[in-house]
Every structure is written in C-alpha cells, then in structure tokens.
Amino acid sequence: MPAEGQMNNKLHRPKEFPPPVALTIAASDPTSGAGIQADLRTFTAFGVHGLSVITAITSQNTITVEDVVPLNTITIRNQFDTLNGDIPISFAKTGVICNSSTVLAVADMLRDSGIRVVVDTPFKSGTGRELMEVEGVQMLIKKLLPMAFLLTPNIPEAERIASLKINCRQDMENAAKKIRELGVSAVLLKGGHLEGDESPDYFISDSEECWFESPRLIRKNIHGTGCTLSAAITANLALGFDLHSAIKRAKDFLTNAINTSFRLGDGALILNTEQLLKPE
C-alpha cells in the first residue's frame, strides 16, 4: 500500500483505451510549472488524455511574469469549436482568462456544451503580477461562475469574489456560502493562506459540507499549486470519481507533488508530477 499522501501509480492508469479526456482552457506558461502545460502534465499523470484551448501567451520564468498577451476571441472560439466538433468532452477546467471579452467568449462557448467545468481563479501570479483585468474579474463573477460545476478559489480570490475578509474557518464558511449565492454549484475554498500549522480546505455543495484537513507543508514559493489541484480534480472527474473522491485524490496527488518539488531556476520550485509515473 502507498504511504499516506502517496498515490499508487496503478490506480491512475485507464483500464482500457482510448483513455478518458479532459479539457483545459487557460494561458500558456513556458516553464510548464503552471497554466496549460501544468494542466496537461497533471492529466497525463492520471492517465487522462489532455485537450487544450489557449487563452493567452505569457513570457515568464521561475522568478517573474514579464508579459501576458491575450489571444483574440475568434482564435479562442475556433480552438474550442474545432475540438468539440470532433471529440466528446465531458469535463473541463479554466485557468487564466485575462479580460472581459475573453471571459464572455469562454462563457458563450461553454454555455450550451453540456461540459461540466471546474473554474480556477488565478487572478494574480505568485510573484504578484495581475493576470486578470478588473473588468475581467467582474465579468467572470457575473458570467462564468454561475456555470461552474466546482469553483476552487484560494482565500485572497474568495475575498475578492465574496467581498468579505477571511481570517478564520468561520470566515471561510461564510465566504463560500456567499459565493454559492452567485449560482456556483459547489465551492472548494482553499485555506493555505490561513495562519497556523494547518491548511484546511472547506467544501460545500447542494448535498455536502465538509472540511478537507491538511498539515501545512514546510515548502515555500512553489509554482502552479492552484492549477495542478484543479487539473487533478478535473482528471479524476473524467475518470468517473464523484466530486468528494475527486477532491480527495487530487489533494493527495498535490501533497506528494509538493513534497518532491524541484528547482529549475533561481525562483519558485516546480511541482513534481512526473515522479508519480515511475514504475513501483
């Protein structure tokens, strides 16, 4: 049996081919630590075939984000329509969607697709660079959040969405419940920014309300944790797991990836997802 927090590689592999698919709608990160590339790495780790729609091109390394260039909405829509016209897609996740016009395009293309969407909300990079315009955030709250099968904000993102200050577990519960009033089906509010030795995540849906407990890991400045967690949840949903189980498996996966993260440059560490593919 794998140790606590470890994933058994054999459990990831699809039992038959073709494998299930999952779609990521996000920005390109040339370090592969976050964004489209990290999502695809994570899908692969679970034996899920990754599809992608790129919303923006970034120029970044492990230290800084130098530039974020949104693609035009016609190109974004064409990517999606071409894929969706050929390959059945049941689950998708979103990442960086830079501005209001991109949000509108993404919401429009997903609205009648029947795809269940995990919405991640990376409003700001780990280095402090704003990744979404103010108008884009407001449009996301208005147009995309009501379509979310699951929303996965961290505390600063949840504060921005709910217009509430979060300092404790009760604040997290209050914020998540307020966010659900915006039409979100389920919320996983990540508690990594709370003070203390624990990093609890609060989950609420129509049928369930619970805490996913985690110790605070002694590693700082790691790139792409939010992208990887939401991608891992999406992959497990594509594999047929219910939402609670998908979150639990994704959190175990992320813990292992954090504990074995590695350094490529002089800045943030990169999550180690590939090591999960090694034979036992």
Side-chain angles (χ1 to χ4, degrees), residues 21-140:
V21 303
L23 170 66
T24 171
I25 304 169
S28 171
D29 174 1
T31 73
S32 294
I36 287 282
Q37 291 87 339
D39 293 343
L40 294 176
R41 289 169 62 214
T42 301
F43 291 166
T44 298
F46 283 96
V48 171
H49 182 80
L51 309 174
S52 62
V53 169
I54 298 175
T55 60
I57 306 296
T58 70
S59 299
Q60 61 178 294
N61 54 29
T62 64
I63 301 171
T64 185
V65 179
E66 291 291 340
D67 198 15
V68 181
V69 181
L71 297 187
N72 69 74
T73 56
I74 294 174
T75 299
I76 294 170
R77 183 63 192 251
N78 283 345
Q79 291 177 79
F80 176 80
D81 287 346
T82 304
L83 278 174
N84 196 43
D86 177 45
I87 303 171
I89 303 168
S90 297
F91 292 96
K93 63 145 295 189
T94 64
V96 171
I97 308 174
C98 299
N99 52 39
S100 57
S101 61
T102 305
V103 172
L104 282 172
V106 171
D108 182 62
M109 70 193 195
L110 290 172
R111 183 171 294 108
D112 298 319
S113 68
I115 298 171
R116 282 170 284 185
V117 185
V118 175
V119 177
D120 194 22
T121 51
F123 298 152
K124 185 181 292 188
S125 74
T127 59
R129 169 71 181 257
E130 292 288 343
L131 299 174
M132 286 194 71
E133 298 175 356
V134 174
E135 294 82 1
V137 172
Q138 295 305 313
M139 191 64 69
L140 182 141

